[in-house]
Amino acid sequence: MSLEDAANAVRTFLKVIEEAQDMRTARATGSVLDEVLQHAKELLDIVEAELQDLDRSKHASLIAA
């Protein structure tokens, strides 16, 4: 996996988490929020796989995100 793939996965994950936070702020509940959170979970799995092959000290800021 490439550094670019890892960065893209992290950016997408953070956008979905922000969307879920906005929904919670608006007091959203139910299946739509559940779907967004499930999507975030799937993206987190991808992010973890992408980051696994990176040098943790060299790419610390990306891993911290």
Side-chain angles (χ1 to χ4, degrees):
M1 315 276 169
S2 72
L3 177 60
E4 183 178 339
D5 290 339
N8 286 335
V10 169
R11 276 193 292 276
T12 302
F13 171 74
L14 292 175
K15 285 179 187 177
V16 171
I17 289 298
E18 185 177 328
E19 179 183 350
Q21 289 173 330
D22 290 347
M23 292 174 75
R24 288 299 301 149
T25 299
R27 299 186 186 272
T29 59
S31 64
V32 175
L33 178 58
D34 290 344
E35 289 172 13
V36 170
L37 292 173
Q38 179 60 37
H39 186 215
K41 162 80 171 83
E42 292 163 0
L43 288 169
L44 182 57
D45 292 341
I46 293 168
V47 166
E48 289 176 340
E50 295 288 347
L51 295 178
Q52 191 172 6
D53 297 330
L54 295 180
D55 180 332
R56 295 183 100 50
S57 61
K58 186 175 179 183
H59 303 290
S61 62
L62 181 60
I63 292 170

Short mmCIF file of all heavy atoms in Angstrom, two decimals:
data_model
loop_
_atom_site.label_atom_id
_atom_site.label_comp_id
_atom_site.label_asym_id
_atom_site.label_seq_id
_atom_site.Cartn_x
_atom_site.Cartn_y
_atom_site.Cartn_z
N MET A 1 0.84 -1.16 0.00
CA MET A 1 0.00 0.00 0.00
C MET A 1 0.90 1.24 0.00
O MET A 1 1.95 1.24 0.60
CB MET A 1 -0.90 0.04 1.23
CG MET A 1 -1.60 -1.24 1.60
SD MET A 1 -3.09 -1.46 0.67
CE MET A 1 -3.45 -3.14 1.09
N SER A 2 0.43 2.26 -0.63
CA SER A 2 1.25 3.45 -0.77
C SER A 2 0.90 4.49 0.30
O SER A 2 -0.16 4.44 0.91
CB SER A 2 1.07 4.07 -2.15
OG SER A 2 -0.20 4.68 -2.25
N LEU A 3 1.81 5.42 0.45
CA LEU A 3 1.58 6.54 1.35
C LEU A 3 0.35 7.32 0.90
O LEU A 3 -0.47 7.73 1.72
CB LEU A 3 2.81 7.44 1.40
CG LEU A 3 2.70 8.70 2.24
CD1 LEU A 3 2.41 8.36 3.69
CD2 LEU A 3 3.98 9.50 2.14
N GLU A 4 0.20 7.50 -0.41
CA GLU A 4 -0.95 8.23 -0.93
C GLU A 4 -2.26 7.50 -0.61
O GLU A 4 -3.25 8.14 -0.22
CB GLU A 4 -0.82 8.41 -2.44
CG GLU A 4 -1.93 9.23 -3.05
CD GLU A 4 -1.75 9.44 -4.54
OE1 GLU A 4 -0.63 9.32 -5.04
OE2 GLU A 4 -2.77 9.72 -5.20
N ASP A 5 -2.27 6.19 -0.74
CA ASP A 5 -3.46 5.41 -0.40
C ASP A 5 -3.80 5.57 1.08
O ASP A 5 -4.97 5.72 1.44
CB ASP A 5 -3.25 3.93 -0.71
CG ASP A 5 -3.19 3.63 -2.20
OD1 ASP A 5 -3.69 4.44 -3.00
OD2 ASP A 5 -2.63 2.57 -2.55
N ALA A 6 -2.79 5.52 1.91
CA ALA A 6 -3.01 5.68 3.35
C ALA A 6 -3.56 7.06 3.67
O ALA A 6 -4.51 7.20 4.45
CB ALA A 6 -1.71 5.44 4.12
N ALA A 7 -3.00 8.10 3.07
CA ALA A 7 -3.47 9.47 3.30
C ALA A 7 -4.91 9.63 2.83
O ALA A 7 -5.73 10.26 3.52
CB ALA A 7 -2.55 10.46 2.61
N ASN A 8 -5.24 9.07 1.68
CA ASN A 8 -6.61 9.15 1.17
C ASN A 8 -7.59 8.42 2.09
O ASN A 8 -8.69 8.92 2.35
CB ASN A 8 -6.69 8.57 -0.24
CG ASN A 8 -6.09 9.48 -1.28
OD1 ASN A 8 -6.00 10.69 -1.10
ND2 ASN A 8 -5.65 8.90 -2.37
N ALA A 9 -7.19 7.28 2.58
CA ALA A 9 -8.05 6.52 3.48
C ALA A 9 -8.30 7.29 4.78
O ALA A 9 -9.42 7.34 5.27
CB ALA A 9 -7.42 5.16 3.79
N VAL A 10 -7.26 7.91 5.32
CA VAL A 10 -7.41 8.70 6.54
C VAL A 10 -8.32 9.89 6.29
O VAL A 10 -9.22 10.18 7.10
CB VAL A 10 -6.03 9.15 7.09
CG1 VAL A 10 -6.19 10.18 8.19
CG2 VAL A 10 -5.25 7.94 7.59
N ARG A 11 -8.11 10.61 5.20
CA ARG A 11 -8.96 11.78 4.89
C ARG A 11 -10.42 11.38 4.76
O ARG A 11 -11.31 12.05 5.31
CB ARG A 11 -8.49 12.46 3.61
CG ARG A 11 -7.35 13.43 3.81
CD ARG A 11 -7.14 14.31 2.58
NE ARG A 11 -6.65 13.55 1.43
CZ ARG A 11 -5.38 13.25 1.22
NH1 ARG A 11 -4.46 13.65 2.07
NH2 ARG A 11 -5.02 12.56 0.15
N THR A 12 -10.69 10.31 4.06
CA THR A 12 -12.07 9.86 3.88
C THR A 12 -12.68 9.46 5.21
O THR A 12 -13.82 9.82 5.52
CB THR A 12 -12.12 8.69 2.88
OG1 THR A 12 -11.55 9.12 1.64
CG2 THR A 12 -13.55 8.25 2.62
N PHE A 13 -11.93 8.74 6.01
CA PHE A 13 -12.41 8.32 7.33
C PHE A 13 -12.76 9.55 8.18
O PHE A 13 -13.83 9.61 8.79
CB PHE A 13 -11.36 7.46 8.04
CG PHE A 13 -11.70 7.18 9.47
CD1 PHE A 13 -12.70 6.27 9.80
CD2 PHE A 13 -11.02 7.81 10.50
CE1 PHE A 13 -13.02 6.01 11.12
CE2 PHE A 13 -11.32 7.55 11.82
CZ PHE A 13 -12.33 6.65 12.14
N LEU A 14 -11.87 10.54 8.20
CA LEU A 14 -12.12 11.74 9.01
C LEU A 14 -13.36 12.50 8.54
O LEU A 14 -14.11 13.04 9.36
CB LEU A 14 -10.89 12.64 9.01
CG LEU A 14 -9.67 12.07 9.75
CD1 LEU A 14 -8.47 12.99 9.59
CD2 LEU A 14 -9.99 11.84 11.22
N LYS A 15 -13.61 12.54 7.23
CA LYS A 15 -14.81 13.19 6.71
C LYS A 15 -16.07 12.48 7.18
O LYS A 15 -17.06 13.13 7.56
CB LYS A 15 -14.78 13.23 5.17
CG LYS A 15 -13.82 14.24 4.60
CD LYS A 15 -13.83 14.19 3.08
CE LYS A 15 -12.76 15.09 2.50
NZ LYS A 15 -12.71 14.99 1.03
N VAL A 16 -16.05 11.16 7.16
CA VAL A 16 -17.22 10.41 7.59
C VAL A 16 -17.44 10.57 9.09
O VAL A 16 -18.58 10.71 9.54
CB VAL A 16 -17.10 8.92 7.19
CG1 VAL A 16 -18.21 8.08 7.80
CG2 VAL A 16 -17.13 8.80 5.66
N ILE A 17 -16.38 10.59 9.86
CA ILE A 17 -16.51 10.81 11.31
C ILE A 17 -17.09 12.20 11.57
O ILE A 17 -17.96 12.37 12.43
CB ILE A 17 -15.15 10.63 12.02
CG1 ILE A 17 -14.76 9.15 12.02
CG2 ILE A 17 -15.17 11.19 13.44
CD1 ILE A 17 -15.72 8.25 12.77
N GLU A 18 -16.63 13.20 10.83
CA GLU A 18 -17.17 14.55 10.98
C GLU A 18 -18.67 14.57 10.65
O GLU A 18 -19.46 15.20 11.35
CB GLU A 18 -16.42 15.52 10.07
CG GLU A 18 -16.84 16.96 10.27
CD GLU A 18 -16.02 17.92 9.41
OE1 GLU A 18 -14.83 17.64 9.16
OE2 GLU A 18 -16.58 18.93 8.99
N GLU A 19 -19.05 13.86 9.61
CA GLU A 19 -20.47 13.77 9.24
C GLU A 19 -21.27 13.13 10.38
O GLU A 19 -22.35 13.62 10.73
CB GLU A 19 -20.61 12.95 7.97
CG GLU A 19 -22.04 12.76 7.51
CD GLU A 19 -22.17 11.88 6.29
OE1 GLU A 19 -21.14 11.55 5.66
OE2 GLU A 19 -23.31 11.51 5.96
N ALA A 20 -20.76 12.07 10.96
CA ALA A 20 -21.44 11.41 12.06
C ALA A 20 -21.55 12.34 13.27
O ALA A 20 -22.59 12.39 13.94
CB ALA A 20 -20.72 10.12 12.44
N GLN A 21 -20.50 13.09 13.55
CA GLN A 21 -20.54 14.04 14.66
C GLN A 21 -21.58 15.13 14.42
O GLN A 21 -22.31 15.51 15.33
CB GLN A 21 -19.16 14.65 14.89
CG GLN A 21 -18.16 13.68 15.47
CD GLN A 21 -16.75 14.23 15.52
OE1 GLN A 21 -16.36 15.06 14.71
NE2 GLN A 21 -15.98 13.74 16.47
N ASP A 22 -21.66 15.62 13.19
CA ASP A 22 -22.67 16.61 12.84
C ASP A 22 -24.08 16.05 13.03
O ASP A 22 -24.98 16.74 13.51
CB ASP A 22 -22.49 17.11 11.41
CG ASP A 22 -21.27 17.97 11.21
OD1 ASP A 22 -20.66 18.41 12.22
OD2 ASP A 22 -20.88 18.19 10.04
N MET A 23 -24.25 14.80 12.64
CA MET A 23 -25.55 14.16 12.81
C MET A 23 -25.91 14.04 14.28
O MET A 23 -27.06 14.29 14.66
CB MET A 23 -25.55 12.79 12.14
CG MET A 23 -25.46 12.85 10.62
SD MET A 23 -25.30 11.22 9.86
CE MET A 23 -26.98 10.62 10.05
N ARG A 24 -24.95 13.68 15.09
CA ARG A 24 -25.22 13.56 16.54
C ARG A 24 -25.51 14.92 17.15
O ARG A 24 -26.39 15.04 18.00
CB ARG A 24 -24.03 12.91 17.26
CG ARG A 24 -23.88 11.45 16.98
CD ARG A 24 -25.07 10.61 17.43
NE ARG A 24 -25.30 10.74 18.86
CZ ARG A 24 -26.47 10.66 19.46
NH1 ARG A 24 -27.55 10.41 18.76
NH2 ARG A 24 -26.59 10.80 20.73
N THR A 25 -24.79 15.95 16.70
CA THR A 25 -25.06 17.30 17.19
C THR A 25 -26.49 17.71 16.87
O THR A 25 -27.15 18.39 17.66
CB THR A 25 -24.06 18.31 16.58
OG1 THR A 25 -22.74 17.92 16.98
CG2 THR A 25 -24.33 19.72 17.03
N ALA A 26 -26.97 17.29 15.71
CA ALA A 26 -28.33 17.57 15.29
C ALA A 26 -29.33 16.58 15.90
O ALA A 26 -30.51 16.59 15.56
CB ALA A 26 -28.43 17.53 13.77
N ARG A 27 -28.82 15.75 16.81
CA ARG A 27 -29.62 14.75 17.52
C ARG A 27 -30.23 13.70 16.59
O ARG A 27 -31.32 13.19 16.84
CB ARG A 27 -30.69 15.41 18.38
CG ARG A 27 -30.11 16.32 19.44
CD ARG A 27 -31.19 16.84 20.36
NE ARG A 27 -30.66 17.82 21.28
CZ ARG A 27 -30.11 17.53 22.45
NH1 ARG A 27 -29.99 16.30 22.85
NH2 ARG A 27 -29.67 18.49 23.24
N ALA A 28 -29.51 13.39 15.53
CA ALA A 28 -29.96 12.34 14.62
C ALA A 28 -29.78 10.98 15.27
O ALA A 28 -28.82 10.76 16.01
CB ALA A 28 -29.17 12.41 13.32
N THR A 29 -30.71 10.12 15.02
CA THR A 29 -30.64 8.74 15.50
C THR A 29 -31.20 7.83 14.41
O THR A 29 -31.66 8.30 13.39
CB THR A 29 -31.46 8.54 16.79
OG1 THR A 29 -32.82 8.89 16.51
CG2 THR A 29 -30.93 9.39 17.93
N GLY A 30 -31.15 6.58 14.65
CA GLY A 30 -31.79 5.64 13.74
C GLY A 30 -30.87 5.09 12.67
O GLY A 30 -29.64 5.13 12.77
N SER A 31 -31.52 4.55 11.65
CA SER A 31 -30.80 3.77 10.64
C SER A 31 -29.80 4.60 9.84
O SER A 31 -28.75 4.09 9.44
CB SER A 31 -31.78 3.07 9.71
OG SER A 31 -32.54 4.01 8.98
N VAL A 32 -30.10 5.86 9.57
CA VAL A 32 -29.17 6.68 8.77
C VAL A 32 -27.87 6.88 9.53
O VAL A 32 -26.78 6.69 8.98
CB VAL A 32 -29.81 8.03 8.37
CG1 VAL A 32 -28.80 8.90 7.66
CG2 VAL A 32 -31.03 7.81 7.49
N LEU A 33 -27.96 7.23 10.80
CA LEU A 33 -26.76 7.38 11.62
C LEU A 33 -26.04 6.05 11.75
O LEU A 33 -24.81 5.99 11.63
CB LEU A 33 -27.10 7.93 13.00
CG LEU A 33 -25.93 8.09 13.96
CD1 LEU A 33 -24.86 9.03 13.40
CD2 LEU A 33 -26.41 8.58 15.32
N ASP A 34 -26.78 4.98 11.93
CA ASP A 34 -26.16 3.65 12.03
C ASP A 34 -25.38 3.32 10.75
O ASP A 34 -24.29 2.77 10.82
CB ASP A 34 -27.22 2.58 12.27
CG ASP A 34 -27.83 2.66 13.66
OD1 ASP A 34 -27.25 3.33 14.54
OD2 ASP A 34 -28.90 2.05 13.86
N GLU A 35 -25.94 3.67 9.60
CA GLU A 35 -25.26 3.41 8.33
C GLU A 35 -23.97 4.23 8.21
O GLU A 35 -22.95 3.72 7.73
CB GLU A 35 -26.19 3.72 7.16
CG GLU A 35 -27.31 2.72 7.00
CD GLU A 35 -28.33 3.13 5.96
OE1 GLU A 35 -28.06 4.06 5.17
OE2 GLU A 35 -29.41 2.52 5.94
N VAL A 36 -24.01 5.48 8.64
CA VAL A 36 -22.81 6.32 8.59
C VAL A 36 -21.75 5.75 9.51
O VAL A 36 -20.57 5.68 9.15
CB VAL A 36 -23.15 7.79 8.96
CG1 VAL A 36 -21.89 8.62 9.14
CG2 VAL A 36 -24.03 8.42 7.87
N LEU A 37 -22.15 5.33 10.69
CA LEU A 37 -21.18 4.74 11.64
C LEU A 37 -20.63 3.42 11.11
O LEU A 37 -19.45 3.13 11.30
CB LEU A 37 -21.83 4.57 13.01
CG LEU A 37 -22.16 5.88 13.73
CD1 LEU A 37 -22.95 5.59 15.01
CD2 LEU A 37 -20.91 6.67 14.03
N GLN A 38 -21.45 2.62 10.45
CA GLN A 38 -20.97 1.37 9.86
C GLN A 38 -19.96 1.67 8.75
O GLN A 38 -18.94 1.01 8.64
CB GLN A 38 -22.14 0.54 9.31
CG GLN A 38 -21.70 -0.77 8.66
CD GLN A 38 -20.96 -1.69 9.62
OE1 GLN A 38 -21.27 -1.79 10.80
NE2 GLN A 38 -19.96 -2.38 9.10
N HIS A 39 -20.25 2.70 7.96
CA HIS A 39 -19.32 3.11 6.90
C HIS A 39 -17.99 3.55 7.53
O HIS A 39 -16.91 3.19 7.04
CB HIS A 39 -19.93 4.23 6.08
CG HIS A 39 -19.12 4.63 4.91
ND1 HIS A 39 -19.05 5.93 4.48
CD2 HIS A 39 -18.33 3.94 4.06
CE1 HIS A 39 -18.25 6.00 3.43
NE2 HIS A 39 -17.81 4.81 3.16
N ALA A 40 -18.07 4.30 8.63
CA ALA A 40 -16.85 4.73 9.32
C ALA A 40 -16.06 3.52 9.82
O ALA A 40 -14.84 3.49 9.71
CB ALA A 40 -17.20 5.65 10.49
N LYS A 41 -16.74 2.52 10.33
CA LYS A 41 -16.08 1.30 10.80
C LYS A 41 -15.35 0.60 9.65
O LYS A 41 -14.21 0.17 9.79
CB LYS A 41 -17.11 0.37 11.43
CG LYS A 41 -16.71 -1.08 11.58
CD LYS A 41 -15.83 -1.31 12.78
CE LYS A 41 -15.63 -2.78 13.06
NZ LYS A 41 -14.58 -3.41 12.29
N GLU A 42 -16.02 0.51 8.51
CA GLU A 42 -15.40 -0.12 7.34
C GLU A 42 -14.17 0.67 6.88
O GLU A 42 -13.14 0.09 6.53
CB GLU A 42 -16.42 -0.24 6.22
CG GLU A 42 -17.53 -1.22 6.53
CD GLU A 42 -18.75 -1.08 5.64
OE1 GLU A 42 -18.76 -0.20 4.75
OE2 GLU A 42 -19.71 -1.85 5.85
N LEU A 43 -14.29 2.00 6.90
CA LEU A 43 -13.16 2.85 6.52
C LEU A 43 -12.01 2.71 7.51
O LEU A 43 -10.84 2.71 7.12
CB LEU A 43 -13.59 4.30 6.40
CG LEU A 43 -14.46 4.64 5.20
CD1 LEU A 43 -15.05 6.04 5.34
CD2 LEU A 43 -13.67 4.52 3.91
N LEU A 44 -12.33 2.60 8.80
CA LEU A 44 -11.29 2.43 9.80
C LEU A 44 -10.51 1.14 9.56
O LEU A 44 -9.28 1.12 9.68
CB LEU A 44 -11.89 2.44 11.21
CG LEU A 44 -10.90 2.32 12.35
CD1 LEU A 44 -9.86 3.43 12.31
CD2 LEU A 44 -11.64 2.33 13.68
N ASP A 45 -11.21 0.10 9.17
CA ASP A 45 -10.53 -1.16 8.84
C ASP A 45 -9.56 -0.95 7.68
O ASP A 45 -8.44 -1.47 7.69
CB ASP A 45 -11.54 -2.25 8.50
CG ASP A 45 -12.37 -2.68 9.70
OD1 ASP A 45 -11.95 -2.42 10.85
OD2 ASP A 45 -13.44 -3.28 9.48
N ILE A 46 -10.00 -0.18 6.68
CA ILE A 46 -9.14 0.12 5.53
C ILE A 46 -7.94 0.95 5.97
O ILE A 46 -6.81 0.69 5.57
CB ILE A 46 -9.94 0.83 4.42
CG1 ILE A 46 -10.98 -0.13 3.81
CG2 ILE A 46 -9.02 1.39 3.34
CD1 ILE A 46 -12.00 0.54 2.93
N VAL A 47 -8.20 1.97 6.78
CA VAL A 47 -7.12 2.84 7.27
C VAL A 47 -6.08 2.01 8.02
O VAL A 47 -4.88 2.15 7.78
CB VAL A 47 -7.69 3.96 8.19
CG1 VAL A 47 -6.58 4.64 8.97
CG2 VAL A 47 -8.48 4.97 7.37
N GLU A 48 -6.54 1.14 8.90
CA GLU A 48 -5.60 0.31 9.65
C GLU A 48 -4.75 -0.55 8.72
O GLU A 48 -3.55 -0.69 8.93
CB GLU A 48 -6.35 -0.55 10.66
CG GLU A 48 -6.91 0.25 11.82
CD GLU A 48 -7.74 -0.58 12.78
OE1 GLU A 48 -8.23 -1.67 12.40
OE2 GLU A 48 -7.90 -0.13 13.91
N ALA A 49 -5.36 -1.10 7.69
CA ALA A 49 -4.62 -1.92 6.74
C ALA A 49 -3.61 -1.08 5.96
O ALA A 49 -2.47 -1.51 5.73
CB ALA A 49 -5.58 -2.61 5.77
N GLU A 50 -4.01 0.12 5.57
CA GLU A 50 -3.11 1.00 4.81
C GLU A 50 -1.93 1.44 5.67
O GLU A 50 -0.80 1.53 5.19
CB GLU A 50 -3.87 2.24 4.30
CG GLU A 50 -4.95 1.95 3.30
CD GLU A 50 -4.44 1.55 1.94
OE1 GLU A 50 -3.25 1.71 1.66
OE2 GLU A 50 -5.25 1.04 1.14
N LEU A 51 -2.18 1.75 6.93
CA LEU A 51 -1.13 2.26 7.81
C LEU A 51 -0.17 1.17 8.29
O LEU A 51 0.96 1.46 8.67
CB LEU A 51 -1.74 2.97 9.01
CG LEU A 51 -2.53 4.24 8.71
CD1 LEU A 51 -3.12 4.80 9.99
CD2 LEU A 51 -1.69 5.27 8.00
N GLN A 52 -0.61 -0.04 8.23
CA GLN A 52 0.17 -1.16 8.75
C GLN A 52 1.56 -1.25 8.12
O GLN A 52 2.53 -1.61 8.79
CB GLN A 52 -0.61 -2.45 8.50
CG GLN A 52 -0.09 -3.65 9.18
CD GLN A 52 -1.06 -4.81 9.03
OE1 GLN A 52 -2.06 -4.73 8.32
NE2 GLN A 52 -0.76 -5.89 9.70
N ASP A 53 1.65 -0.94 6.85
CA ASP A 53 2.92 -1.10 6.14
C ASP A 53 3.82 0.14 6.18
O ASP A 53 4.92 0.10 5.65
CB ASP A 53 2.65 -1.47 4.68
CG ASP A 53 1.95 -2.81 4.56
OD1 ASP A 53 2.17 -3.67 5.44
OD2 ASP A 53 1.18 -3.00 3.61
N LEU A 54 3.32 1.23 6.77
CA LEU A 54 4.11 2.46 6.79
C LEU A 54 5.09 2.48 7.96
O LEU A 54 4.83 1.90 9.01
CB LEU A 54 3.19 3.68 6.88
CG LEU A 54 2.27 3.94 5.70
CD1 LEU A 54 1.44 5.19 5.97
CD2 LEU A 54 3.04 4.10 4.41
N ASP A 55 6.18 3.17 7.76
CA ASP A 55 7.16 3.41 8.82
C ASP A 55 6.53 4.37 9.83
O ASP A 55 6.26 5.52 9.53
CB ASP A 55 8.43 4.01 8.21
CG ASP A 55 9.50 4.28 9.24
OD1 ASP A 55 9.18 4.52 10.43
OD2 ASP A 55 10.68 4.26 8.84
N ARG A 56 6.28 3.88 11.04
CA ARG A 56 5.56 4.67 12.04
C ARG A 56 6.30 5.93 12.46
O ARG A 56 5.68 6.94 12.74
CB ARG A 56 5.24 3.81 13.25
CG ARG A 56 4.27 2.68 12.88
CD ARG A 56 3.87 1.84 14.04
NE ARG A 56 2.60 2.08 14.69
CZ ARG A 56 1.41 2.19 14.11
NH1 ARG A 56 1.33 2.18 12.82
NH2 ARG A 56 0.32 2.32 14.81
N SER A 57 7.61 5.90 12.50
CA SER A 57 8.35 7.10 12.90
C SER A 57 8.43 8.10 11.76
O SER A 57 8.37 9.31 11.98
CB SER A 57 9.74 6.73 13.39
OG SER A 57 10.48 6.09 12.37
N LYS A 58 8.54 7.62 10.55
CA LYS A 58 8.64 8.49 9.39
C LYS A 58 7.31 9.18 9.06
O LYS A 58 7.28 10.30 8.58
CB LYS A 58 9.12 7.69 8.18
CG LYS A 58 9.39 8.51 6.94
CD LYS A 58 9.97 7.65 5.84
CE LYS A 58 10.22 8.46 4.60
NZ LYS A 58 10.72 7.62 3.50
N HIS A 59 6.20 8.51 9.34
CA HIS A 59 4.88 9.02 9.00
C HIS A 59 4.02 9.21 10.26
O HIS A 59 2.82 8.95 10.24
CB HIS A 59 4.19 8.08 8.01
CG HIS A 59 4.98 7.87 6.76
ND1 HIS A 59 5.16 8.86 5.82
CD2 HIS A 59 5.67 6.80 6.32
CE1 HIS A 59 5.91 8.40 4.83
NE2 HIS A 59 6.24 7.15 5.13
N ALA A 60 4.63 9.69 11.30
CA ALA A 60 3.95 9.82 12.60
C ALA A 60 2.73 10.71 12.54
O ALA A 60 1.71 10.42 13.17
CB ALA A 60 4.94 10.32 13.65
N SER A 61 2.78 11.81 11.77
CA SER A 61 1.63 12.72 11.73
C SER A 61 0.44 12.06 11.06
O SER A 61 -0.71 12.26 11.49
CB SER A 61 2.01 14.02 11.02
OG SER A 61 2.37 13.78 9.68
N LEU A 62 0.66 11.28 10.03
CA LEU A 62 -0.44 10.57 9.38
C LEU A 62 -1.03 9.52 10.31
O LEU A 62 -2.25 9.40 10.43
CB LEU A 62 0.05 9.92 8.08
CG LEU A 62 -0.99 9.15 7.27
CD1 LEU A 62 -2.13 10.08 6.84
CD2 LEU A 62 -0.34 8.51 6.07
N ILE A 63 -0.20 8.83 10.99
CA ILE A 63 -0.67 7.81 11.93
C ILE A 63 -1.41 8.45 13.10
O ILE A 63 -2.43 7.95 13.56
CB ILE A 63 0.50 6.92 12.38
CG1 ILE A 63 0.95 6.08 11.18
CG2 ILE A 63 0.11 6.04 13.57
CD1 ILE A 63 2.22 5.33 11.36
N ALA A 64 -0.96 9.61 13.55
CA ALA A 64 -1.62 10.32 14.62
C ALA A 64 -3.03 10.78 14.23
O ALA A 64 -3.93 10.80 15.05
CB ALA A 64 -0.80 11.52 15.06
N ALA A 65 -3.18 11.12 12.95
CA ALA A 65 -4.51 11.54 12.47
C ALA A 65 -5.49 10.41 12.64
O ALA A 65 -6.63 10.60 12.98
CB ALA A 65 -4.43 11.96 11.01
#
